Amino acid sequence: MAPEETVQKRTEQDSAIEKQSAKKRALITGISGQDGAYLAKNLLARGYEVHGTSRDSETTSFWRLEHLGVRGNVVIHSMSATELHSVLHVLRQVQPDEIYNLAGQSSVSLSFEQPLETMTSNIIGTLNLLEAIRFLGVGVRLYNAGSSESFGDVGGVPATIGKPFNPRSPYAVAKATAFWEVANYREAYGLYACSGVLFNHESPLRSPRFVTRKIVSAACRIAAGSGETLHLGNMDVQRDWGWAEEYVEAMWRMLQQPEPRDYVIATGVQSSLRDFVHEAFACVGLDWRAHVHADPSLLRPSDIASSVGDPAVAERELGWKATMHMPDVVKEMIRHEQAGLSGE
Ligand code: NDP
């Protein structure tokens, strides 16, 4: 090989290595969930090296990542967020530039049945990540999945960061606590850490245990002739429903800000669960009143009548705005369900 060819080859190799090392590395805890899968896809498209954690990577189903065609492009590690050693081990191994903390028991209704698991996974899980970052002294940026449930009932007034929390479920208590953990570590130790207080966001990848997916699946089965009746709890509750794929974009944008701060991510519009049901059944050509039964046994011990967020700051500072509102979300979920494109 002529010397100039060798030089040329080295230059190519060097730039390939540089390109590789310039690649940002992200770690997503709870990558097997709805948001984890969409976020993995989003970050891969941006050229990130994506790592994820699951409590048991050998037995967990990563059907959402497979569904999005990205399972083979992410590295998955087993990690127990409630064990500091396990968290330290994974952080040392991966050395991420950005961490997205999405793991934890995420169902409000299940949290009434499993309050301890809900508190431990969300509160201790988040605390361990913060402690591990502090202990390792690494300049990693942390996004924490906060929840609109922390605000409680907002009485129709769109919530902003700074509105007092009034949690009304074990899940909301856990998320409110994790929010303050993050704020405290940011202030006390100068960590780059922030919480996105996200309002409900849905997709065909939503777990069937959530009411929106239950409604969509039942409407499609009934339209296909199943003859069943759908039983629901309080249909008067108002929620701010957006589209999950758009919400993970906001997570990434938060970590690109020069200074860390918490943001509300929402559409700014609330609708009742009854409106959601009406929309879903209308999409399949049915009148919901003939197929849905209000069941008092499904009422929660305490619930939120009204939940809506103010996305103005996110729009101004992150350049983020929801384009999909409740009727669009329902239509897309129904379309996927009917085409057999929803998971589980
Ligand atoms: P999912 O429930 O789909 O995913 C959460 C992941 O966390 C699971 O895949 C699971 O991963 C892990 N997990 C579940 N239970 C536990 C547990 N007890 N202990 C430890 N890990 C657990 O949630 P989403 O993707 O919808 O949400 C992501 C995050 O955002 C969650 O923290 C959620 O609370 C929060 N959030 C979600 C909103 C929404 O509307 N979707 C709204 C606001 C906040 P594995 O089994 O592989 O360990």
Side-chain angles (χ1 to χ4, degrees):
M1 192 183 286
E4 57 278 19
E5 276 181 71
T6 316
V7 170
Q8 173 64 20
K9 190 129 195 162
R10 277 218 193 98
T11 315
E12 279 168 11
Q13 273 171 0
D14 288 350
S15 67
I17 290 165
E18 261 168 37
K19 213 170 158 195
Q20 185 71 22
S21 59
K23 237 183 181 189
K24 274 198 181 171
R25 201 174 300 139
L27 178 68
I28 304 172
T29 74
I31 198 169
S32 63
Q34 169 189 264
D35 291 3
Y38 282 120
L39 181 62
K41 186 178 170 203
N42 183 306
L43 296 178
L44 284 166
R46 293 182 189 282
Y48 276 66
E49 180 182 322
V50 177
H51 293 248
T53 74
S54 166
R55 283 166 294 176
D56 185 348
S57 65
E58 286 187 28
T59 58
T60 301
S61 160
F62 296 101
W63 64 268
R64 294 181 176 92
L65 292 169
E66 276 156 21
H67 188 88
L68 297 179
V70 297
R71 172 65 186 91
N73 306 102
V74 300
V75 185
I76 304 199
H77 308 259
S78 286
M79 185 184 93
S80 167
T82 52
E83 282 184 47
L84 182 58
H85 274 99
S86 174
V87 178
L88 281 167
H89 176 70
V90 171
L91 256 59
R92 267 218 176 111
Q93 214 179 1
V94 177
Q95 301 197 359
D97 300 292
E98 296 172 7
I99 299 175
Y100 296 86
N101 178 32
L102 309 185
Q105 199 298 99
S106 70
S107 156
V108 174
S109 57
L110 189 60
S111 79
F112 285 103
E113 289 160 37
Q114 299 178 1
L116 185 60
E117 176 68 19
T118 305
M119 301 274 180
T120 311
S121 59
N122 284 293
I123 297 174
I124 306 298
T126 305
L127 184 63
N128 279 342
L129 270 175
L130 291 161
E131 273 294 284
I133 293 168
R134 187 168 81 92
F135 179 76
L136 294 174
V138 288
V140 61
R141 294 185 169 204
L142 173 72
Y143 168 86
N144 175 53
S147 166
S148 56
E149 291 287 326
S150 308
F151 289 123
D153 200 327
V154 303
V157 181
T160 51
I161 296 294
K163 178 184 163 52
F165 285 163
N166 184 17
R168 289 179 59 80
S169 65
Y171 170 77
V173 171
K175 285 295 188 184
T177 307
F179 175 95
W180 287 118
E181 287 172 353
V182 169
N184 176 241
Y185 273 63
R186 181 173 63 223
E187 285 168 19
Y189 306 114
L191 262 51
Y192 190 113
C194 57
S195 293
V197 182
L198 270 56
F199 282 68
N200 296 48
H201 44 279
E202 314 297 319
S203 79
L205 303 188
R206 198 54 147 150
S207 156
R209 77 155 16 265
F210 287 88
V211 70
T212 48
R213 186 74 199 288
K214 270 190 190 137
I215 294 165
V216 165
S217 301
C220 291
R221 284 195 308 270
I222 294 167
S226 73
E228 71 197 91
T229 298
L230 173 63
H231 294 260
L232 292 174
N234 185 358
M235 281 188 276
D236 293 325
V237 293
Q238 306 255 352
R239 294 289 182 271
D240 180 332
W241 280 292
W243 188 240
E245 213 168 344
E246 293 189 337
Y247 282 47
V248 300
E249 169 71 18
M251 297 175 188
W252 175 78
R253 289 191 186 202
M254 274 180 228
L255 290 197
Q256 313 315 309
Q257 296 306 299
E259 297 297 330
R261 66 170 286 186
D262 308 314
Y263 290 90
V264 160
I265 301 297
T267 68
V269 180
Q270 66 175 357
S271 332
S272 70
L273 189 64
R274 186 174 287 100
D275 290 339
F276 191 109
V277 171
H278 167 85
E279 203 68 42
F281 279 79
C283 278
V284 296
L286 296 173
D287 182 343
W288 68 275
R289 287 168 295 191
H291 307 282
V292 179
H293 175 68
D295 185 345
S297 75
L298 295 175
L299 296 179
R300 289 176 181 166
S302 56
D303 208 343
I304 295 173
S306 158
S307 178
V308 58
D310 180 352
V313 179
E315 191 177 341
R316 198 169 59 239
E317 293 189 8
L318 304 177
W320 182 91
K321 192 173 175 9
T323 67
M324 302 261 293
H325 289 77
M326 185 275 280
D328 315 305
V329 169
V330 175
K331 274 191 200 80
E332 268 306 286
M333 287 178 79
I334 292 276
R335 191 178 69 77
H336 278 81
E337 194 85 26
Q338 286 187 321
L341 296 173
S342 300
E344 268 187 349

